[in-house]
Amino acid sequence: MPLDKSNVRRRSIMRTFAAAGTLGLAGCSFQQDSQDGTGSQTKGTQKQAASKPIGGTWVEGTTADASHLVPYLASDQSTQDAIGLLMDWGGVINDDLEIEPMLFESWELSDSNDVLTIKLRENLRYSEPYGKLTAEDYIYQLNTINQNDKDSWHGYPYVNSFFIDGEPIKYEKTGKYTLRAELPEKRPYWLFTDPTKWMKPLPKKLLKPYVKNKDMEGLKKADEIVNATWTGNLGPFNLKKWQRQSKMEYTKNDDYYLAETKEYKNAPYVKKYIRQIFNESSTTLSALKSGDVTHAGLSVFKASQFKQNPNVNVLSSKFGSSIDFIAMNQRENGWKPFRKKAVRQAFAMAIDKNVIIEKVQRGYGTKVHTWSPKWGPFYDQEGVWVPNGPKIKKAKRKINAALPNHSYRNGRLTDSGGNQVELKLVYVTGWKSTRILKDYLAQQYDKLGVKINAQGTSLTNLYGNYAQNSGKNPKWSAGSWNGGPRSNSTSKKSWDLIPSGFDHAAYTPWDVMSMLFPKKGSFNWWGYVPSRNDLMQQVNSAAKASTKKETQKIVSELLSFISKEQPVVFTDCGAVVEGYRKKVAGLEQPKNQYTSNDAARELYFNDR
């Protein structure tokens, strides 16, 4: 779902629906194999931290407040960011695409690739009266929430992450600080997809009464949660004050466990951290310009303006988190010709992606033709079908050949009754980029002989009335985004085209492919049915491949197939553009999709 590409955090892998003028979800993992293509013990890379001054107040400009402070319920980016300042993950990805230890000290995957051993650091402490963070806290939350697929009271959105092909991963405590995970089947890359690495377990003693009473709302409102008084030394900051829809104030955690390490000695390097919530992005940018905000994501339409500002550093990264595309409704309440590959290809050929990069992304992005950006490790240019539009005449010929009951009259595409084809394009209002895109699409598809009726709506309305779908007594259901066969599962309102986006998970594209493109994919909300029956099997085989060479072969073939199928019209991978006040030191150009500059552990002020 598009992600908020204006504010991507270092190592923020988990993503969910977020407002960015289109639609986006997030992949939540990636993979990288060692030289022999298999897993081994991973302890990360420790580097000696240079001496950094400590002091000053960091003000983060944002337009979204946290929803709550329950770690396992954090499914929107703003809530994840707010909680991320209070408690770390088990591990993260560094600039070299290696696992870097945080709460976990080490992971070890057995030679058989189906048993994982996790060792926690022994200096991790919750606040009193909860004592040390131990393996028991992980096991309790795993059993009662993270792997609890029988009881929905807890609201945990990623239960499936703790299952493999429907079979649960078997977790057990093997010592005070060690856990063992037995996988249902071999997964050579599991070190890099292990979901326990993203866990932020609550103290068992705190969580237990709410589990017993199945009281999720009570947990959200508990004093320890609302005031974040349980986090001990587990995160870089402590929560001082939270004024809803206004600001969250944090102070440096002097007991932060990573401050004892060589790499992050004495971190964090700012004394105070404020998440300032503004009503509009324009107000946020004005605050960045005046110096009232230290850092903010930049609209591509404002980037050039800030590049001229002597008090602001602008960093952009080509490693955008999502692929943008045009969804085509192939369900019963959409234009049925979209079910034909040739028609979908024709709609891809009618647009010029260079124009989208220049006009919509203002040059901050790259063209995409399949489920991978060109910089993705599995992208094979030779096998990918490239529309190279605009090719209106050729696109019309494809449509003529595919739709014998349609014809062109005076340049207009007409149906069997002689009426011009009219399609409804639904878009989210309030975003300049989306407005430009919908106007461009209307222009190009008019050249294709199709009339576009554009209809703006809110993001919430788009989700509930257009993207989500359900059927009456369906043969199967993959959830609210794919509620059954396209013949009977439809959205509340009809639609034909929706500008959208989704986290591409470039280093594990199979993770997202399994959600978007199989007939029963959990986020296949447009009702695409692949022309091959083994698509899901191929996607699964990519996850199980034992060597990098084998993975490359499988994924490259999948990307080639998807480019030719065009289940959606792929457009671009937008870049991330951010602005920092000049007094911020330690900034580096991001080296991969998962890294950006982190104020919690790395950045500091050269002028406090």
Side-chain angles (χ1 to χ4, degrees):
M1 322 170 184
L3 309 178
D4 185 353
K5 291 178 282 189
S6 67
N7 196 10
V8 176
R9 283 285 174 278
R10 177 185 177 89
R11 311 179 178 109
S12 293
I13 311 303
M14 302 288 272
R15 304 290 188 194
T16 53
F17 277 115
T22 54
L23 203 59
L25 166 87
C28 35
S29 61
F30 45 86
Q31 294 176 350
Q32 193 77 359
D33 50 2
S34 54
Q35 289 184 342
D36 64 355
T38 60
S40 59
Q41 186 172 5
T42 307
K43 291 189 177 181
T45 302
Q46 294 289 329
K47 293 178 281 188
Q48 178 71 46
S51 178
K52 298 177 181 179
I54 298 174
T57 298
W58 184 282
V59 182
E60 186 70 30
T62 180
T63 56
D65 197 1
S67 301
H68 53 78
L69 292 179
V70 182
Y72 79 79
L73 286 174
S75 59
D76 64 89
Q77 192 61 46
S78 185
T79 300
Q80 289 184 34
D81 289 344
I83 294 173
L85 297 169
L86 299 167
M87 184 178 184
D88 287 339
W89 281 325
V92 293
I93 300 305
N94 64 19
D95 290 341
D96 298 319
L97 286 173
E98 297 173 341
I99 296 178
E100 180 179 315
M102 303 291 277
L103 300 179
F104 291 175
E105 181 178 292
S106 65
W107 303 259
E108 186 173 1
L109 190 63
S110 65
D111 292 339
S112 58
N113 295 322
D114 59 0
V115 176
L116 177 70
T117 302
I118 298 170
K119 173 68 169 62
L120 300 177
R121 295 178 189 262
E122 297 185 14
N123 64 335
L124 305 175
R125 301 184 306 277
Y126 292 118
S127 302
E128 290 303 328
Y130 302 116
K132 284 194 169 187
L133 168 60
T134 68
E136 180 63 27
D137 296 291
Y138 274 89
I139 291 297
Y140 182 75
Q141 185 167 310
L142 281 163
N143 290 339
T144 60
I145 293 176
N146 295 61
Q147 256 187 325
N148 180 2
D149 65 334
K150 307 298 182 185
D151 193 347
S152 61
W153 75 268
H154 50 74
Y156 182 58
Y158 301 111
V159 168
N160 289 342
S161 300
F162 293 84
F163 291 72
I164 295 178
D165 290 344
E167 292 294 319
I169 301 164
K170 296 179 180 178
Y171 291 95
E172 64 175 334
K173 183 181 73 171
T174 55
K176 187 173 182 179
Y177 301 105
T178 55
L179 300 89
R180 183 179 186 272
E182 184 178 334
L183 312 185
E185 58 186 32
K186 296 180 180 180
R187 288 294 173 103
Y189 301 111
W190 193 251
L191 286 178
F192 298 89
T193 55
D194 171 30
T196 55
K197 193 161 64 271
W198 314 127
M199 284 181 63
K200 294 179 179 179
L202 289 165
K204 177 181 177 180
K205 187 176 179 180
L206 168 60
L207 186 59
K208 193 172 182 178
Y210 298 98
V211 171
K212 181 179 180 180
N213 297 318
K214 299 184 177 181
D215 187 7
M216 181 177 68
E217 291 305 314
L219 179 62
K220 285 183 180 180
K221 297 174 183 178
D223 288 342
E224 299 96 324
I225 297 295
V226 173
N227 299 309
T229 57
W230 60 273
T231 54
N233 73 343
L234 305 178
F237 296 98
N238 295 316
L239 182 64
K240 180 181 180 182
K241 182 167 50 175
W242 183 7
Q243 296 173 261
R244 299 298 197 279
Q245 304 304 321
S246 177
K247 66 179 177 180
M248 300 182 75
E249 293 186 25
Y250 300 79
T251 56
K252 173 181 167 68
N253 187 348
D254 292 326
D255 294 326
Y256 185 36
Y257 74 98
L258 277 184
E260 302 173 15
T261 66
K262 292 181 178 180
E263 184 178 16
Y264 299 115
K265 187 175 178 60
N266 298 323
Y269 306 106
V270 297
K271 280 283 189 180
K272 190 174 182 180
Y273 192 109
I274 296 176
R275 297 186 76 248
Q276 186 70 54
I277 296 106
F278 296 92
N279 291 329
E280 297 180 358
S281 58
S282 60
T283 310
T284 310
L285 298 184
S286 294
L288 175 64
K289 185 177 181 180
S290 66
D292 293 329
V293 158
T294 309
H295 165 256
L298 297 181
S299 158
V300 294
F301 299 98
K302 297 292 184 179
S304 59
Q305 172 187 328
F306 277 93
K307 279 188 174 181
Q308 306 304 315
N309 190 314
N311 297 312
V312 176
N313 275 321
V314 176
L315 268 69
S316 64
S317 169
K318 69 177 181 179
F319 302 109
S321 297
S322 70
I323 283 180
D324 297 328
F325 56 84
I326 313 302
M328 297 172 280
N329 190 5
Q330 296 155 59
R331 294 186 176 274
E332 197 67 24
N333 63 346
W335 191 47
K336 291 189 179 59
F338 279 143
R339 298 180 181 184
K340 294 181 178 290
K341 178 174 71 174
V343 175
R344 299 194 299 269
Q345 287 182 338
F347 273 67
M349 294 166 61
I351 63 174
D352 186 343
K353 296 178 185 179
N354 290 313
V355 172
I356 292 176
I357 296 297
E358 293 168 7
K359 301 295 185 182
V360 179
Q361 299 292 3
R362 287 296 193 266
Y364 291 98
T366 54
K367 295 182 292 183
V368 294
H369 313 295
T370 187
W371 200 254
S372 175
K374 291 182 178 180
W375 50 262
F378 300 102
Y379 187 82
D380 181 2
Q381 188 170 345
E382 296 300 318
V384 171
W385 178 72
V386 180
N388 283 327
K391 294 181 177 178
I392 301 298
K393 291 183 178 179
K394 189 172 182 179
K396 285 184 173 181
R397 288 197 295 270
K398 271 187 172 288
I399 289 176
N400 258 332
L403 304 178
N405 293 328
H406 289 65
S407 61
Y408 277 98
R409 299 180 182 179
N410 298 320
R412 297 179 177 181
L413 179 63
T414 59
D415 58 24
S416 57
N419 301 308
Q420 183 179 15
V421 172
E422 296 187 15
L423 302 181
K424 181 197 288 187
L425 184 153
V426 182
Y427 68 98
V428 178
T429 56
W431 299 87
K432 185 176 181 179
S433 58
T434 310
R435 186 173 67 251
I436 294 173
L437 177 60
K438 64 97 176 172
D439 288 342
Y440 176 69
L441 293 177
Q443 167 192 301
Q444 292 305 109
Y445 293 144
D446 178 71
K447 294 177 183 178
L448 196 60
V450 175
K451 182 179 180 180
I452 297 295
N453 296 316
Q455 180 176 322
T457 188
S458 68
L459 186 68
T460 300
N461 188 49
L462 188 145
Y463 289 164
N465 289 320
Y466 296 98
Q468 293 180 345
N469 58 83
S470 60
K472 296 180 179 179
N473 302 315
K475 297 178 182 177
W476 53 264
S477 174
S480 60
W481 306 101
N482 186 0
R486 65 186 183 184
S487 59
N488 79 331
S489 182
T490 60
S491 53
K492 292 179 182 178
K493 295 185 178 182
S494 64
W495 62 277
D496 299 299
L497 300 163
I498 294 180
S500 309
F502 208 91
D503 188 338
H504 49 61
Y507 294 90
T508 54
W510 49 87
D511 287 333
V512 179
M513 288 182 195
S514 68
M515 293 188 283
L516 295 183
F517 303 126
K519 178 180 178 180
K520 298 182 182 180
S522 58
F523 280 89
N524 182 358
W525 46 273
W526 46 86
Y528 163 66
V529 176
S531 61
R532 54 190 288 183
N533 296 323
D534 66 341
L535 182 62
M536 193 63 194
Q537 290 91 319
Q538 283 294 95
V539 170
N540 286 336
S541 67
K544 302 173 187 177
S546 59
T547 67
K548 190 172 183 178
K549 183 177 181 180
E550 183 182 354
T551 303
Q552 181 73 55
K553 180 180 179 181
I554 296 170
V555 179
S556 294
E557 194 277 333
L558 282 169
L559 294 176
S560 174
F561 170 76
I562 289 173
S563 72
K564 296 178 178 69
E565 285 277 288
Q566 287 289 299
V568 295
V569 175
F570 301 105
T571 58
D572 65 277
C573 176
V576 178
V577 188
E578 301 178 280
Y580 298 84
R581 295 294 296 181
K582 279 285 177 68
K583 65 179 181 178
V584 176
L587 292 172
E588 294 184 0
Q589 190 67 30
K591 296 179 176 62
N592 61 58
Q593 177 195 355
Y594 303 109
T595 61
S596 60
N597 295 281
D598 188 353
R601 284 177 287 275
E602 299 164 335
L603 303 183
Y604 58 97
F605 293 119
N606 55 24
D607 178 10
R608 291 169 284 141

